[in-house]
Amino acid sequence: PHSAPRQRPARLPPGLSESDFSTAVKDLRQSIGAENVVINDQPLKDGWYLEHPNTHDAFHVVEQEELVCSAVVYPGSTEEVQKVVRWANKHLIPIYPISIGRNVGYGGAAPRVPGGVVLDLGKRMHSILNVDGENASCMVEPGVTYFKLYEEIQNRGLPLWIDCPDLGGGSVLGNAIDRGVGYTPAGDHFANHCGMEIVLPNGELLRTGMGAIPGPDGTDSPVWQSFQNSFGPKIDGVFSQSNFGIVTKMGFWLLHEMPHRSYCFTFAQDEDFPRIVEAIRPLAQKGVLGNIPQLRHVVQELNVTGRRKSTFHDGEGPMTREEIRRAAKELPLGDCSWVFYGTQYGDAQSVERQLGVVKAAFSDIEGTKFWLPEDVPQDHYLHSRVQVNSGVPILRELDWLNWLPNAGHLFFSPITPTRGKDAQKIHDMIVAGHKKYGFDVFPTLCIAGREMHYIANVIFDRADADQKRRAVALLRELVDDCAKEGFGEYRTHLLFQDQVARTYGWGDQALMRFNETIKDALDPNGILAPGRCGIWPKRFRGRGWEL
Amino acid sequence: PHSAPRQRPARLPPGLSESDFSTAVKDLRQSIGAENVVINDQPLKDGWYLEHPNTHDAFHVVEQEELVCSAVVYPGSTEEVQKVVRWANKHLIPIYPISIGRNVGYGGAAPRVPGGVVLDLGKRMHSILNVDGENASCMVEPGVTYFKLYEEIQNRGLPLWIDCPDLGGGSVLGNAIDRGVGYTPAGDHFANHCGMEIVLPNGELLRTGMGAIPGPDGTDSPVWQSFQNSFGPKIDGVFSQSNFGIVTKMGFWLLHEMPHRSYCFTFAQDEDFPRIVEAIRPLAQKGVLGNIPQLRHVVQELNVTGRRKSTFHDGEGPMTREEIRRAAKELPLGDCSWVFYGTQYGDAQSVERQLGVVKAAFSDIEGTKFWLPEDVPQDHYLHSRVQVNSGVPILRELDWLNWLPNAGHLFFSPITPTRGKDAQKIHDMIVAGHKKYGFDVFPTLCIAGREMHYIANVIFDRADADQKRRAVALLRELVDDCAKEGFGEYRTHLLFQDQVARTYGWGDQALMRFNETIKDALDPNGILAPGRCGIWPKRFRGRGWEL
Ligand SMILES: Cc1cc2nc3c(=O)[nH]c(=O)nc-3n(C[C@H](O)[C@H](O)[C@H](O)COP(=O)(O)OP(=O)(O)OC[C@H]3O[C@@H](n4cnc5c(N)ncnc54)[C@H](O)[C@@H]3O)c2cc1C
Ligand SMILES: Cc1cc2nc3c(=O)[nH]c(=O)nc-3n(C[C@H](O)[C@H](O)[C@H](O)COP(=O)(O)OP(=O)(O)OC[C@H]3O[C@@H](n4cnc5c(N)ncnc54)[C@H](O)[C@@H]3O)c2cc1C
C-alpha cells in the first residue's frame, strides 16, 4: 500500500488554536513524559496488519487525511489514563481510546472526530494480569493480543483455550468492547467477559461486577472473575460500543480444551440459500452446532487462496457467476454455491452422533457434500477453521488482501434472524447493491443461534478514488435498504455510525435520546470519543458533526 | 398467618399532606379510572402465596405496618403506565412497580419507601403477546406467570420448554428483572431475555435491542426476539435490579424440549463439603452438568416433607446435628450430609455417558450414593426436581412454610466461587451466624458454573417479634461478615439493600456514585422506586432514608 504525501497541515483538535494545542501538549508531556505524547505531523503510512498505523484509518475509504488524529498519547498505567482524562477535560480536547487499533474494516485506529487525540492504551499497558487455571479465566490489559494470551497459556502448559476472531492480532479487550465475535462455543466475546476496571470521563475509577467488593487486605475480590454481576444494575454493557468510559482491565472466561472435529458441507445451488438457513435454524437453536459456524459463498473459496482477482477475471467490474463457477471447479471443493464450515466438540463417539444429526438436517438439500480436513489439501481453508475453532490465533484471512492491488476492507454487517425468508431478503439487497455499485459480493454468515451476523466484505482499491466513492455509496444505500425492512447492523465503520444509529430510531429516536442523556451525565465536557457509535455529547450535538 | 389490626393511620407518600394526596388521587382516578386506584387503608392481610397481598410485605420481618404502600394503582396499558409516571412527576410521589409481587423472601410486593404508591402492573397487563415456535421465543407483559406461559405453550402443543424458578407463581418478567434463577440450561433468566419495552422515569417509551429498529409498516422489527443488542451501548442490564425504568414488555428465549434424566447424589460427611465443591468445579465449567444443579444440606430433606419442625425437635432453638441425623435416617435418602440434585439432557446413551463422568468425579468421596427417581417414593423431592428441571412450574417449595407456625422466609444469598475453600469460608460464617441468633440453617447452593448462588433460607415465625428482631440482626451480621472476606450478595430483601449496596464500595463507593449519576439523569424528580437496590435519587439522598 502506498502513501500519498500530506496535502494539508496536521490536524488540530476542534476549537483549539495552534497555540492552545501546543500549550496543552506541553502540559501533558510534563505530566506523563514527553516521549509518550507524539504529534501526528509526519507522512501517513498505511503499513500493513502487523505494522498498522495509529495515526489514521489504514483502510481509508475517504481521503487518507480525513480520519486522522492530532496526536497519539501512550499512557503507561491506569493513573496515567486518569491524568490524560483530566487533562482532556481541562483543555476540552476530544480523546479516542484504542486498545490495539486493528479494528480493520471498521475504522482502524482512527478517531471519529478528525483532530482528536488517540489514546493508544496497548503500547504500554499490555500485561496479562492473571491467568487462573482453576477458575479458567484471565484478566488482561488493553494491549494483550490473542497471540500473546495464547502464547502465555501455552507457556504455562494450561489445558485451556481462548476464543479468537478470524485475525489473531487484535486486542482481547478491544475486540470485546466493540462486541466482536469468535468461533468456539465462547464466540460471543462480550458475553464471556467477567469484570472490568474503567476510567470514567470525569477521571474517576470504577470496577464492575464483583470487582466492586474490595477483597480482604487490599486484594481484589476472590469472586471478580467468577460472577459477572454486582448488586444493583448490571452496568457492564453500557461500556461496549459506547463512549462512556475507558476500559483499563477486563476479565475473561477461558474454555477447557476439548476434542474437536471440523468439517464443511458444500451445497450445489445458490437458490438453496433459504433452505440451508431453514435447516440450520433448529440445529443452532438446539445447540447441536457446537460452535459459531460460518456459511460462506463459494466466491470466498477463491479469495482465501490468496490469489489476485485478475487470475480469475479480466477487466473491470465484478466477477460473473460463470467465472466464479469456472474457477471454483479447479479448487478442492469444486463447483458449488455455499459452504458451511462447522466444528463439533466432544469425544469421537459423541462427535459422530452430532455429525449424524447435522448431516440428516442437510440431507434434503440436493447435491450436498460433506468434507473432512483429510479430504482437502493441507493449504485449504478448512484447516484454518480447525485452528480458529479450537482457539488458535492465525492470520489466514489476510489473504483476502491480495484480491485487489492496494486492497482495503470495509464491512457491512447486518443481523438477520436464522430464518430463510429474512436471510434471503437481506442477501438480495446486498447482491443488488453490490451489482449497482460494481463490487464483488463476499458474504460470510456467522451463525450465533437465533440470528446470524451477515458480514459482507467490500474489498476496494485504496488508490482508486472512484472505487472508494462507490464503496461509501454502497454502504449508505445498504444501511437504508435494510432499515426499511426492520434490519440493522451490529457494528459499523466510523463513517456510518451516525447513519446506523439513526436507523435504530423507534419512538422518534428514543434510544438515542436515552444514550445522550447518559452521555451528558457522565461526560459533561464531551471529551470522550465524541460521535463513537453515533453518540455525540452536548457540546458537539447538532453542530454539523453528524454524517 | 394472622393479621394484627392496624395501629397507625394509612401511610401517606413522604412529604405529602393528606389533602395533597387526596387531590393527587382524584387527579389519577380521573385519568385511569377510579377503580384502578385503591387506597391502602384497610386491614393488612398476609394471605398466602397464591393470594398474596400487594399492600405490604407478607413475610414482614419488621412490623407488618412498616413496609406498606399508600395506594395501589392498576394501569391497563403502556399508555396508562406513562400517565401514572407523569402524574408521579407532577405530584412528586414515589411509585414502586411490581409485576406480580411474589418476591417472597426479598420484600414481596412492598415498596422500599413506606407510603410509596405500588404500581401493580400484572393485574391488568398479563397478555402473552407472542409465542414464536420457529424462533423458540416469546414476548410477555408483566402479569404473565410461569404457570400461564406454560399452559399457553401446552395448549398450542409446541415442543418448547420454559425455565422456571422453584415456585411457578412468579412473573416471568418480574423475576428476570430481579435477576432470578431457574434450573434448566436457560436458568439465568436475565441472560435469556431478548428485547424490552420500558417506560422511563420521565414518561418516555424506549425499546431496547433490535426493537429499536421499526419494522416495515408499523410492525415490530423481525429481529427483536432474535438478537439481544442494538447498535451502540448494550443498555438492557441497567434496567435489572434498578430503578431506572418500568418494563412493560419483555422477550424471552424458550428451550426445545429434550429427553432428560434427573438424579441425586448423597454424601456421607458434612466435612466433605469443600471436596464436593472441588469435584463440581470442573464439571460445571466444562458444561458436563446439563443444568443449574442444586447442592442442599440434608436438613432440607426434612423441611420439604412439609412436616413441622416440632415433629423432629423439642423446645426452643435450632435442631441439633444429632436430631437431623436421626430424622434423616427415616427418610428415603437416609442418613447423609449433602445432597446434589442434577439433571442431564440428551438421548439415553449420551445421558449415560454424562452420568459416567459425573459419577467418576464424585467417586473419590467416601460414602457417596447415587439415586434415580425410581429409587425413591413418588412424593420424594427428587420427583419435584424432575419437573422444575424440565420446565414444569410447581409449588413444592411452599412446603417449607410448614416448618414453623406463621412461617416467613428471608433469604441470605451470597455468591461464592465454585472453589472449596471459599465455599467453606462462607458456609462457616453462615453456620456461625445462625447459631448465634438461634436459627436452623437451610443451605441450597445453585451451581451456575464458576460460581454458586448460596441461598440460605431463614425461616422465622412472623408472630414472634423476638425472632424477627434476631432474623434481621442475623442478616445484617452476615452481610458484613461476608463483605470483609470479599463476598457479596446477588440479591437481597428491601431492608438490607442499602447495606448490601454499600459493601460494593470499592473506590470509595465508585459504583454507587455511578449509579446515582445515572439515576439523577434519568429521574430528576426521584419518583421511581427510590431506594431500590440502594439507589436513592438526589431528592432523598442523605436525608435519613438509608437503612
Ligand atoms: C479479514 C478480517 C477478518 C476479521 N474477522 C473478525 C472476526 O472474526 N471477528 C471480529 O469480531 N472482528 C473481525 N474483524 C474486525 C477487526 O479486525 C477485529 O474486530 C479486531 O479485533 C478489532 O480491533 P482491535 O482488537 O485492535 O480493537 P481496537 O481497535 O483496539 O478497539 C476497537 C474499538 O473499541 C473501542 N475501544 C477499544 N479499546 C477500548 C478501551 N480500552 N476503552 C474504551 N473503548 C475501547 C474503540 O472505539 C476502538 O476503536 C476482521 C477484520 C478483517 C479485516
Ligand atoms: C420457597 C421459595 C423458593 C424460591 N425459589 C426461587 C428460585 O428458584 N429462583 C428465584 O429467582 N427466586 C426464587 N424465590 C424468590 C421469589 O419468590 C421469586 O424470585 C419470584 O419470582 C419473584 O417475584 P415475582 O416474580 O412476582 O416478581 P415481582 O415481585 O413482580 O418483581 C420483583 C421486583 O422486580 C422489580 N420489578 C418487577 N417488575 C418490574 C417492572 N415491570 N419494571 C420495573 N421493575 C420491576 C420490582 O422492584 C419488584 O419488587 C423463591 C422464594 C421462595 C419463598
Side-chain angles (χ1 to χ4, degrees), chain A residues 69-110:
Chain A
C69 64
S70 53
V72 183
V73 171
Y74 301 103
S77 64
T78 299
E79 294 67 42
E80 288 193 0
V81 174
Q82 292 177 287
K83 281 185 185 170
V84 177
V85 167
R86 294 201 189 100
W87 167 84
N89 272 289
K90 179 172 155 203
H91 297 279
L92 294 181
I93 292 177
I95 52 176
Y96 191 88
I98 58 171
S99 284
I100 292 284
R102 292 210 177 101
N103 205 3
V104 275
Y106 294 117

Side-chain angles (χ1 to χ4, degrees), chain A residues 132 134-136 179 204 212 221 230 232-234 237 241 254 256 285 349 353 419 450 486 504-506 513, chain B residues 132 134-136 179 204 207 212 221 230 232-234 237 241 254 256 285 349-350 419 450 486 504-506 513:
Chain A
D132 181 337
E134 268 185 18
N135 195 54
R179 292 205 303 264
E204 280 214 26
S221 162
S230 42
K234 190 179 166 86
Q241 287 193 8
L254 304 169
H256 290 265
Q285 277 178 22
Q349 198 190 346
R353 246 206 355 272
R419 195 177 266 157
R450 283 170 181 80
Y504 287 76
W506 190 89
R513 272 197 306 284
Chain B
D132 181 337
E134 267 184 20
N135 196 54
R179 294 207 300 266
E204 279 214 27
R207 284 189 175 186
S221 162
S230 41
K234 190 178 169 84
Q241 288 194 6
L254 303 169
H256 290 265
Q285 278 178 20
Q349 201 190 342
S350 115
R419 194 176 269 157
R450 284 172 182 78
Y504 287 78
W506 189 89
R513 274 196 306 283

Side-chain angles (χ1 to χ4, degrees), chain A residues 59 96-104 106 108 121 142 146 165-167 170-171 173-175 177-178 180-181 183 245-247 397 400 409 411 490-491 532:
Chain A
F59 288 165
Y96 191 88
I98 58 171
S99 284
I100 292 284
R102 292 210 177 101
N103 205 3
V104 275
Y106 294 117
L121 300 159
Y146 296 98
D166 270 332
L167 297 177
S171 159
L173 187 160
N175 179 288
I177 282 295
D178 220 19
V181 293
Y183 303 99
I246 301 172
V247 184
E397 301 247 326
W400 281 8
H409 294 288
F411 291 117
Y490 98 100
R491 187 174 174 193
R532 170 151 154 83

Side-chain angles (χ1 to χ4, degrees), chain B residues 486-506:
Chain B
F487 301 115
E489 288 67 56
Y490 97 101
R491 189 173 173 192
T492 198
H493 186 283
L494 289 177
L495 285 174
F496 310 104
Q497 296 189 341
D498 291 318
Q499 186 188 355
V500 167
R502 275 193 303 267
T503 65
Y504 287 78
W506 189 89

Side-chain angles (χ1 to χ4, degrees), chain B residues 202-265:
Chain B
N202 63 0
E204 279 214 27
L205 197 58
L206 177 72
R207 284 189 175 186
T208 70
M210 301 303 281
I213 291 220
D217 307 320
T219 59
D220 295 340
S221 162
V223 202
W224 199 7
Q225 265 62 69
S226 299
F227 187 56
Q228 292 178 317
N229 306 327
S230 41
F231 177 70
K234 190 178 169 84
I235 61 172
D236 290 40
V238 305
F239 297 103
S240 69
Q241 288 194 6
S242 80
N243 46 20
F244 298 163
I246 301 173
V247 184
T248 48
K249 291 190 178 88
M250 198 160 167
F252 289 93
W253 289 335
L254 303 169
L255 292 99
H256 290 265
E257 62 178 26
M258 298 173 270
H260 53 100
R261 192 83 167 119
S262 293
Y263 58 90
C264 65
F265 284 91

